[in-house]
Amino acid sequence: MPGLAGVIVTRFAPHADERGVFAEIFRASWPTGVAPIQWNLVSSQAHVLRGVHLHVTHADYLMCIAGEMKLVLKDARPDSPTSGQVGVHTLGEHEPAAVTIPPGVAHGFYFAMPAKHIYSVSHYWNVDDELGCRWDDPALGVDWGVTDPILSPRDRDAGGYEAMVAAFVDKRARAEAS
């Protein structure tokens, strides 16, 4: 099955020897779709679920550098050829790779074990660019394979998927009109 439109998976070529492992994780010449202006490091405990979030303008380039994450994506762009489709990726330290998430693709992360991930963004974080929905909304159409994960108050109290998509469409139209 092909991936979601605009989502790019970049596989790394780790070089291991008796000292450990070296891997390049970003080159400006790689077709990642993101020109990073900010990098972030996130630690998560076991059984944490972050999201589901969606951005109107900024793209993310992310990788899991310790432990493992289940990355769930859903294309919320009504005009996309993969609109409404779901993609699931497992990212972890043993098979290093990065995923570029374009604006309009909702994303959430589940960590069955303690993990760390880093990500860059194409635009500085702005609260007006951040939308979210409940991770367990049936309209999302995702089977996370977990019940009762650890959530932030914001993620626990998030609204529904359809409301998030409507807000995205409205904000994107206003941004394009200005």
Side-chain angles (χ1 to χ4, degrees):
M1 173 178 165
L4 302 180
V7 173
I8 302 167
V9 177
T10 304
R11 304 239 179 259
F12 304 137
H15 304 281
D17 62 23
E18 64 279 355
R19 300 169 296 163
V21 178
F22 167 84
E24 293 179 333
I25 62 170
F26 180 82
R27 282 188 172 211
S29 62
W30 291 351
T32 63
V34 175
I37 63 164
Q38 177 180 327
W39 286 88
N40 304 301
L41 170 66
V42 181
S43 284
S44 296
Q45 299 302 316
H47 204 52
V48 164
L49 194 145
R50 296 180 182 271
V52 169
H53 302 146
L54 180 144
H55 307 291
V56 179
T57 59
H58 90 244
D60 296 304
Y61 176 77
L62 68 94
M63 65 209 70
C64 185
I65 59 171
E68 187 175 278
M69 79 162 47
K70 179 178 188 176
L71 169 62
V72 172
L73 306 171
K74 180 157 182 165
D75 193 341
R77 302 165 294 179
D79 57 346
S80 169
T82 55
S83 182
Q85 293 182 20
V86 173
V88 179
H89 300 271
T90 300
L91 299 177
E93 63 185 286
H94 299 295
E95 292 185 39
V99 175
T100 299
I101 306 169
V105 174
H107 48 283
F109 319 102
Y110 176 70
F111 304 92
M113 65 183 74
K116 292 183 185 197
H117 72 278
I118 59 174
Y119 68 99
S120 68
V121 292
S122 62
H123 297 76
Y124 291 116
W125 183 82
N126 176 345
V127 69
D128 291 333
D129 188 53
E130 181 96 354
L131 301 169
C133 75
R134 283 194 52 88
W135 68 280
D136 58 352
D137 184 334
L140 193 60
V142 172
D143 178 8
W144 291 90
V146 299
T147 58
D148 198 30
I150 300 167
L151 302 166
S152 72
R154 181 182 120 201
D155 291 341
R156 184 180 53 249
D157 298 335
Y161 175 76
E162 297 299 334
M164 179 185 71
V165 173
F168 166 72
V169 169
D170 179 58
K171 285 184 176 217
R172 185 174 68 172
R174 283 188 281 132
E176 289 171 353
S178 58

